[in-house]
Amino acid sequence: MSILVTGGAGYIGSHTCLELLQAGHEVVVVDNLSNSKAESLRRVQALAGRDLHNYEIDIRDLEGLNRVFREHSISAVVHFAGLKAVGESVDKPREYYSNNVEGTLKLIEAMAANEVFNLVFSSSCTVYGDPASLPITEDSPVGGSTNPYGTSKLMIEQILQDVCAADPRWCCALLRYFNP
């Protein structure tokens, strides 16, 4: 199985790439390296003893994404690409919405055009906002995020839920976690 990992050179993405390679999957990485370094992927390959395919592409580059899908028989996508600093998002909200939300929309567009409908999305516990009670559970209400980063993650979750409701071919999983 060939898995596309967006943001695969980042911390969580690179660890996921290693696990996927060790499980025998072909791994294709798309990362613009704005929050990561290509060195992490070289280390992943050395640890796994296997190569992966790496493309320095921004996920907002629809033509580049489509090229990657055409060159590989992608079965599923694990989507980690995104800006992730809460404080910075307050200072640069347009950059966060453009990169995170617009980028995800481009990714979904490329996936649909290439008939790939399996997606794991790296969301965040920031979608819960200021929780009414602790501990937070998966059933806790979302919304009321306190920063553009959290709001962008919540918007993407809603987009993915709507895409899945509109087309039964889509299968999306949302991962919500705190900073590693």
Side-chain angles (χ1 to χ4, degrees):
M1 182 181 296
S2 185
I3 312 285
L4 172 62
V5 181
T6 68
Y11 181 78
I12 300 173
S14 63
H15 283 76
T16 300
C17 289
L18 178 59
E19 291 296 322
L20 289 169
L21 286 170
Q22 290 176 331
H25 299 290
E26 177 187 357
V27 175
V28 180
V29 172
V30 167
D31 197 310
N32 68 5
L33 302 178
S34 67
N35 282 321
S36 57
K37 303 223 182 295
E39 176 62 26
S40 65
L41 296 175
R42 287 189 283 279
R43 291 177 181 170
V44 164
Q45 292 176 104
L47 288 168
R50 296 187 50 216
D51 289 336
L52 53 72
H53 306 277
N54 181 30
Y55 295 85
E56 190 174 337
I57 296 173
D58 190 291
I59 60 168
R60 292 170 290 186
D61 177 357
L62 184 58
E63 183 179 313
L65 287 174
N66 279 318
R67 185 175 65 253
V68 170
F69 278 98
R70 283 192 305 269
E71 291 177 9
H72 301 277
S73 182
I74 305 292
S75 302
V77 175
V78 183
H79 180 29
F80 294 111
L83 297 176
K84 63 186 186 310
V86 169
E88 182 183 66
S89 77
V90 174
D91 295 331
K92 301 176 181 179
R94 288 180 296 133
E95 289 181 29
Y96 275 70
Y97 292 122
S98 174
N99 188 84
N100 297 358
V101 178
E102 180 186 349
T104 300
L105 287 169
K106 296 291 185 184
L107 177 62
I108 292 168
E109 185 177 343
M111 289 175 67
N114 292 279
E115 298 190 9
V116 177
F117 301 103
N118 298 305
L119 176 68
V120 176
F121 172 58
S122 176
S123 188
S124 169
C125 281
T126 60
V127 301
Y128 294 110
D130 288 327
S133 64
L134 294 173
I136 297 171
T137 67
E138 289 186 25
D139 296 330
S140 296
V142 297
S145 61
T146 60
N147 54 74
Y149 165 73
T151 302
S152 74
K153 292 293 190 172
L154 186 58
M155 291 171 133
I156 294 165
E157 284 193 13
Q158 187 62 58
I159 290 166
L160 295 175
Q161 290 170 18
D162 292 343
V163 166
C164 288
D167 186 342
R169 295 177 295 175
W170 282 91
C171 181
C172 297
L174 308 173
L175 303 178
R176 295 178 182 154
Y177 40 84
F178 292 96
N179 280 343

